[in-house]
Amino acid sequence: MAFSLTTLRRQYAHVPALAADPHPSVDAEQVTRTHLDELHSWAQIFYDVTLDGVLYSYDRERLGRLREQGRLPIVCVENVEALAAFEAESTGWLPVLLWCPRDEAAKRSTHGWPVEEPDRRWSRRWERSTKGLLADPGRFTLTVRSDRLDAVEIARIVHLAAQAGSTNEHATSTPPAASHR
């Protein structure tokens, strides 16, 4: 099958977290607090994380619905605990680490606006996330330095890896575990 962004959109679906009051820099779909409470009471939430005082939740229903449609859910997480929760929830994940150095990540977090130094909470989150995710590179089928490729090239690589099936071979662009900056 030829690679195209249209094909990717049909085969894959992005699944953001759910949050009653999301922060604009965190990938989340806004829902009511009542909706989140209902999902919790129905045991439909399999992972919660609080970032900067906001609760973000991932639910079973959306993941199941996409898989029933034959689509692969794409989820962005920033810690090993979230990765483990998704792996425990269902099989067939293709764990991919998209990583870039702190300076580039800071630039992206400000959407290109010049700032002296990123928010301290953001900096602490980036440090914690990087330390945790880089501590076990064997967890990932593929690791890509996202500062070295554009989004279309990354999508093509991830698509090829998904088509080939999960393997234990890793890309050669693994970020250095010793350096977090």
Side-chain angles (χ1 to χ4, degrees):
M1 178 182 295
F3 177 83
S4 74
L5 292 179
T6 302
T7 300
L8 290 178
R9 287 186 186 108
R10 276 190 236 120
Q11 291 181 334
Y12 306 96
H14 176 251
V15 181
L18 300 174
D21 189 26
H23 187 276
S25 69
V26 176
D27 184 28
E29 177 182 323
Q30 186 162 4
V31 296
T32 66
R33 181 75 222 166
T34 302
H35 182 67
L36 284 178
D37 291 343
E38 287 174 357
L39 290 172
H40 276 98
S41 72
W42 298 331
Q44 286 299 305
I45 300 295
F46 66 90
Y47 182 71
D48 284 317
V49 63
T50 301
L51 301 171
D52 299 331
V54 177
L55 177 68
Y56 296 92
S57 303
Y58 290 95
D59 65 306
R60 291 182 171 91
E61 181 185 0
R62 292 180 306 153
L63 293 178
R65 191 173 45 234
L66 290 170
R67 288 186 182 266
E68 287 170 4
Q69 295 170 358
R71 299 173 75 193
L72 180 66
I74 297 174
V75 183
C76 299
V77 298
E78 65 179 49
N79 63 52
V80 175
E81 294 80 19
L83 184 59
F86 278 90
E87 290 170 342
E89 180 59 26
S90 65
T91 60
W93 291 102
L94 175 70
V96 175
L97 176 62
L98 298 178
W99 183 87
C100 67
R102 185 185 184 284
D103 293 344
E104 178 63 23
K107 191 179 346 174
R108 291 176 184 182
S109 77
T110 62
H111 306 290
W113 292 99
V115 293
E116 289 293 318
E117 182 67 25
D119 176 287
R120 290 179 64 82
R121 290 178 299 182
W122 177 90
S123 294
R124 284 192 302 267
R125 262 186 37 218
W126 187 90
E127 293 291 335
R128 254 190 331 268
S129 175
T130 298
K131 182 179 179 182
L133 293 172
L134 294 180
D136 186 9
R139 273 196 109 109
F140 301 98
T141 300
L142 179 66
T143 299
V144 178
R145 285 224 14 204
S146 62
D147 59 319
R148 294 187 175 166
L149 301 169
D150 67 31
V152 173
E153 292 169 315
I154 293 170
R156 183 184 317 266
I157 291 167
V158 172
H159 175 71
L160 290 172
Q163 296 303 306
S166 247
T167 68
N168 288 325
E169 296 177 22
H170 300 282
T172 57
S173 62
T174 301
S179 171
H180 299 302
R181 290 204 168 248

